[in-house]
Amino acid sequence: MKIKKLVILVLSMVFSFSCISAVFASTNNEEYIRFHSNSDTRMDSDGYFDFTIRSRQRSDKFTANSDEITIRIGAQIWDTSSQDYVKTSDTITVTLYTSLGIKVGSFTINCDGYDKSKTFKVTDGKKYYFEVSADQSFSDRENLRIIGMGRVSPISL
């Protein structure tokens, strides 16, 4: 009986440490979508967010508070070597999905610092998330990041 309890305790500790490692691994990632009022989550109730990506990143799930939601977003290319914005022809695509991963729609914007928005028909009270993805490869441009900000509304958590 004592051996069984000891094995359960050891397995519980191993599982706990593996979960902690997974959390730390994900927080060291250079890419993120972060919603302003709470840096522990990717979303706040107002829907404002900022992000840094090199390939793609997705938001937390949120609930639509209307039969339409609007995503407004702007982005620029940041050079980590020169610590300045650079002009490129890069674009990003913003894609809205249902909580089950079904694509609702998408739109593409230039990474020129100007905002663009799109309104999507959704079901009031249902959960959704969006993904921001780079349309070009950054594998040969290690010093570049796409950074931006935006808002999705009207939503709640």
Side-chain angles (χ1 to χ4, degrees), residues 1-12:
M1 190 62 128
K2 287 184 179 183
I3 292 176
K4 185 178 178 181
K5 287 183 180 180
L6 181 62
V7 169
I8 291 172
L9 177 66
V10 169
L11 288 176
S12 297

Side-chain angles (χ1 to χ4, degrees), residues 87-117:
K87 291 186 179 195
T88 69
S89 60
D90 290 295
T91 58
I92 59 172
T93 298
V94 181
T95 307
L96 180 67
Y97 295 95
T98 67
S99 62
L100 300 175
I102 299 168
K103 182 179 175 179
V104 175
S106 64
F107 65 105
T108 299
I109 70 164
N110 296 320
C111 296
D112 56 9
Y114 294 103
D115 287 359
K116 185 174 179 182
S117 65

Side-chain angles (χ1 to χ4, degrees), residues 1-60:
M1 190 62 128
K2 287 184 179 183
I3 292 176
K4 185 178 178 181
K5 287 183 180 180
L6 181 62
V7 169
I8 291 172
L9 177 66
V10 169
L11 288 176
S12 297
M13 290 174 56
V14 168
F15 179 72
S16 297
F17 286 125
S18 66
C19 289
I20 291 169
S21 297
V23 169
F24 284 124
S26 66
T27 59
N28 289 334
N29 194 343
E30 289 183 351
E31 298 183 77
Y32 63 84
I33 295 177
R34 178 180 61 209
F35 287 78
H36 293 295
S37 69
N38 185 351
S39 62
D40 293 336
T41 66
R42 295 181 181 174
M43 172 128 346
D44 70 14
S45 60
D46 291 330
Y48 290 99
F49 61 90
D50 64 356
F51 63 91
T52 296
I53 64 167
R54 286 181 46 79
S55 58
R56 72 182 61 218
Q57 199 59 240
R58 82 157 113 171
S59 73
D60 282 340

